[in-house]
Amino acid sequence: MATTSRDFGNEPPPQQQDSGEAGRQHHVDEHPEAGATIHDSSASALPGDETKAETAGTGQDSQEEAERDPNIVDWDGPDDPANPQNWTPRKKWANIAVLALITFMVPLASSMFAPGIPQVLSDFDTNNPSLATFVVSVYILGLAAGPLVLAPLSELYGRVIIYHVGNVLFIIFTVACALATNINMLTAFRFLCGLVGAGPIAIGGGTIADLTTLQQRGTAMSVWSLGPLLGPSIGPVAGGFLAQAEGWRWIFWVLAITAGVITIASLVVLRETHPGTLLERKTRRLRKETGNTNLRSKLDLQIPPRTLFLRSIVRPSKLLLLSPICLVLSIYSAFVYAMIYLMISTFTFVFQDNYGFSEGIVGLVFIALGLGMLFGVAVQQAIGNRIMKHLADSRNQGKPKPEYRIPPTLLAGILIPVGLFIYGWTVQYQIQWAVPLLGALLAGMGICIINISTNLYLVDAFTVYAASALAASTVLRSIFGATFPLFALQMYDTLGLGWGNSLLAFISVAMLAIPPLLFYCGEKLRSHPKFQVKL
């Protein structure tokens, strides 16, 4: 992740700097992707401090000398319009809206195909439901692998090129799915669709951080998070009727057409936001104009691209394995996210077998999960920022901490097991179909709130390495989402729908201990020397 030594620590306070230096400090304080920390008590010791120390190397004197280096290219003061955080609200939200559409499209494709599974079994002469379920979940394995490569590439070449290339390849592989002649071919192209489509999920949070300040981030992150959460639950609604009317292949044709429209919108609207890429472009332009070959970007680590790429690939894994905060939050987020795909992959079988729903009607049951997601976003927006501001004012002299993002998850953590209990036992005894869907709605609310809150926590807590922390969480979440549906039908066959969902509910009850633990001990864990990860 591109940065320089003077981005961290020991700089004179803003009031002692001239306007140019103040502008640079303003950018660094608020921009996690630019190699900065949020200067409050919660950021006193963040993962990667050892790397910062190595980069700083020579101390205060060399930092001040670097500040005066005329060959360093930075933003032109705090109001530089080239800085994405200074873009007009219209331009910011246009980029966020298109990014949200792309991020919605990718998870939509993961589940829209689900209602067509019985037709696939028939067309390809197989009666193995686990294999058909794998065709759905293999897409999520692609989403798990993609971030490990795409996130580092975005730091080398910028974010927009990742979005555009990914969109085009996604269309190509989706068309290949529509033309598949056997289930092995379909499975392979589904994996490739997930792999190339992972870009907005892998680096979308980084783009949000590029564009927004800490105070703006909650709303923007909620809008962007709707895609991964709402897409999987809306897809089967359209997919069910489409499969019934035109067959499962037309699901992929419609996805390809929709992706084509969104790709055109992204080509027109999306602009580069990665500060390292933007400053590097500015540096190259100034070198050409001035003939000064010594100019270099403030965010240039002067590390060979291959070394930077390899470091960036390893970083998410190191955070996941060595940072207890990242690990615990990722496991919690991954478990609740897996509930979406477990329900999505089994709704068709459960409601057709227990309630006799047709292929078209069974798609409508996914609306309950989608409504739960929407209600979850509304609740998160209504209480999330207010709670954070209240806690900051009452406990920390108005300075926000990542832990202040946690309280909404306390409510959400209760909704999930309640929803699973209602869904499981009412389907078990075939109580009127609206009641189990109420359970799915409650679970969807809880899932949405927890995912948005954990994403915000990771961005606020890991600042400099927010993209890597989100990539680590996304990888684990996708692995859980891909593997849980594989054993769902067998679990239901063995335990029944009531006890099968109760088992998942009991696990989610045990996880209720995680939010209070992070709220009261999260800052200590982040600042403890034992858990400082050298990145």
Side-chain angles (χ1 to χ4, degrees):
M1 189 165 294
T3 182
T4 63
S5 62
R6 64 183 181 286
D7 289 344
F8 303 100
N10 298 325
E11 292 191 68
Q15 64 268 26
Q16 297 176 2
Q17 298 173 326
D18 61 37
S19 60
E21 291 172 342
R24 288 191 290 269
Q25 180 66 28
H26 168 81
H27 169 70
V28 169
D29 282 349
E30 291 189 337
H31 204 292
E33 285 292 304
T37 63
I38 300 169
H39 292 294
D40 60 28
S41 60
S42 70
S44 58
L46 294 170
D49 281 344
E50 297 89 337
T51 301
K52 300 171 197 173
E54 290 175 2
T55 306
T58 58
Q60 175 70 22
D61 292 339
S62 64
Q63 290 178 8
E64 292 179 350
E65 181 181 354
E67 288 289 349
R68 296 191 297 268
D69 188 345
N71 291 320
I72 297 299
V73 177
D74 195 1
W75 303 116
D76 297 333
D79 300 319
D80 186 350
N83 183 345
Q85 291 199 351
N86 294 327
W87 288 356
T88 64
R90 180 178 179 180
K91 186 175 181 180
K92 283 186 180 182
W93 281 104
N95 277 263
I96 293 172
V98 172
L99 175 60
L101 281 176
I102 304 173
T103 313
F104 171 77
M105 179 68 204
V106 173
L108 180 78
S110 71
S111 63
M112 191 172 176
F113 170 62
I117 289 177
Q119 290 184 8
V120 172
L121 293 175
S122 175
D123 285 0
F124 293 144
D125 295 324
T126 178
N127 57 2
N128 185 346
S130 295
L131 181 59
T133 301
F134 182 67
V135 176
V136 176
S137 60
V138 73
Y139 183 96
I140 317 303
L141 289 178
L143 293 181
L148 295 176
V149 176
L150 297 178
L153 286 176
S154 76
E155 295 174 5
L156 290 174
Y157 303 109
R159 308 203 193 281
V160 167
I161 188 66
I162 302 298
Y163 295 138
H164 292 335
V165 173
N167 287 342
V168 172
L169 291 177
F170 181 84
I171 295 171
I172 293 173
F173 291 132
T174 300
V175 171
C177 288
L179 300 175
T181 57
N182 57 66
I183 199 164
N184 293 328
M185 185 184 298
L186 180 61
T187 301
F189 285 126
R190 284 277 291 171
F191 174 80
L192 292 173
C193 278
L195 186 69
V196 301
I201 296 176
I203 62 177
T207 299
I208 298 298
D210 295 340
L211 290 166
T212 60
T213 63
L214 180 67
Q215 292 74 22
Q216 300 166 337
R217 194 170 298 144
T219 301
M221 190 71 76
S222 295
V223 172
W224 172 71
S225 296
L226 274 176
L229 297 171
L230 201 57
S233 56
I234 288 182
V237 178
F241 286 105
L242 193 56
Q244 186 178 34
E246 300 293 340
W248 64 269
R249 294 183 188 274
W250 260 100
I251 295 176
F252 292 109
W253 288 117
V254 169
L255 286 172
I257 294 169
T258 306
V261 173
I262 294 175
T263 298
I264 294 172
S266 69
L267 289 170
V268 173
V269 175
L270 287 185
R271 295 293 179 268
E272 185 58 64
T273 63
H274 186 235
T277 302
L278 292 174
L279 286 179
E280 184 58 34
R281 290 177 181 174
K282 180 179 179 180
T283 302
R284 289 198 298 265
R285 175 173 56 83
L286 290 175
R287 285 179 190 146
K288 184 176 180 181
E289 292 175 356
T290 64
N292 183 357
T293 58
N294 294 321
L295 293 175
R296 65 183 179 89
S297 165
K298 178 180 179 178
L299 301 181
D300 183 6
L301 271 179
Q302 296 183 298
I303 296 175
R306 183 175 182 274
T307 302
L308 182 60
F309 181 75
L310 293 175
R311 283 188 186 181
S312 299
I313 285 182
V314 172
R315 189 178 296 133
S317 300
K318 293 180 72 173
L319 281 173
L320 191 62
L321 297 175
L322 301 179
S323 169
I325 291 290
C326 187
L327 177 62
V328 169
L329 272 179
S330 297
I331 290 175
Y332 193 24
S333 175
F335 174 79
V336 299
Y337 188 74
M339 296 301 99
I340 299 176
Y341 284 96
L342 186 142
M343 287 189 279
I344 285 172
S345 64
T346 58
F347 270 173
T348 301
F349 297 102
V350 168
F351 282 90
Q352 282 184 344
D353 294 345
N354 289 271
Y355 294 96
F357 285 5
S358 66
E359 282 184 354
I361 297 300
V362 78
L364 296 177
V365 304
F366 296 87
I367 293 177
L369 198 58
L371 286 175
M373 303 290 183
L374 288 175
F375 291 154
V377 170
V379 171
Q380 170 68 29
Q381 280 297 294
I383 67 175
N385 288 334
R386 293 181 182 179
I387 290 175
M388 185 181 71
K389 186 177 186 303
H390 171 74
L391 290 174
D393 292 340
S394 62
R395 291 178 176 232
N396 200 37
Q397 300 178 333
K399 298 178 181 179
K401 293 183 180 182
E403 284 69 34
Y404 299 160
R405 302 285 192 184
I406 292 296
T409 63
L410 297 171
L411 167 65
I414 296 172
L415 290 175
I416 292 175
V418 170
L420 289 173
F421 280 127
I422 293 174
Y423 168 67
W425 288 107
T426 53
V427 169
Q428 174 85 23
Y429 291 105
Q430 298 185 14
I431 295 174
Q432 209 275 338
W433 55 264
V435 182
L437 292 184
L438 173 62
L441 185 148
L442 294 175
M445 282 184 64
I447 292 167
C448 184
I449 294 171
I450 287 174
N451 272 278
I452 292 175
S453 297
T454 53
N455 281 343
L456 286 169
Y457 185 103
L458 288 172
V459 171
D460 291 351
F462 290 92
T463 56
V464 184
Y465 301 117
S468 294
L470 287 174
S473 178
T474 298
V475 168
L476 195 63
R477 188 173 64 183
S478 298
I479 291 173
F480 274 45
T483 55
F484 269 51
L486 297 180
F487 63 78
L489 293 176
Q490 291 85 345
M491 178 183 70
Y492 288 155
D493 288 341
T494 303
L495 300 177
L497 290 165
W499 283 113
N501 283 284
S502 294
L503 174 63
L504 300 173
F506 290 141
I507 296 174
S508 63
V509 168
M511 289 187 171
L512 285 174
I514 292 176
L517 173 67
L518 291 179
F519 185 79
Y520 290 107
C521 303
E523 185 176 4
K524 293 180 181 178
L525 287 173
R526 287 187 292 109
S527 60
H528 197 288
K530 182 179 179 181
F531 301 124
Q532 298 305 299
V533 184
K534 186 174 181 179
L535 299 172

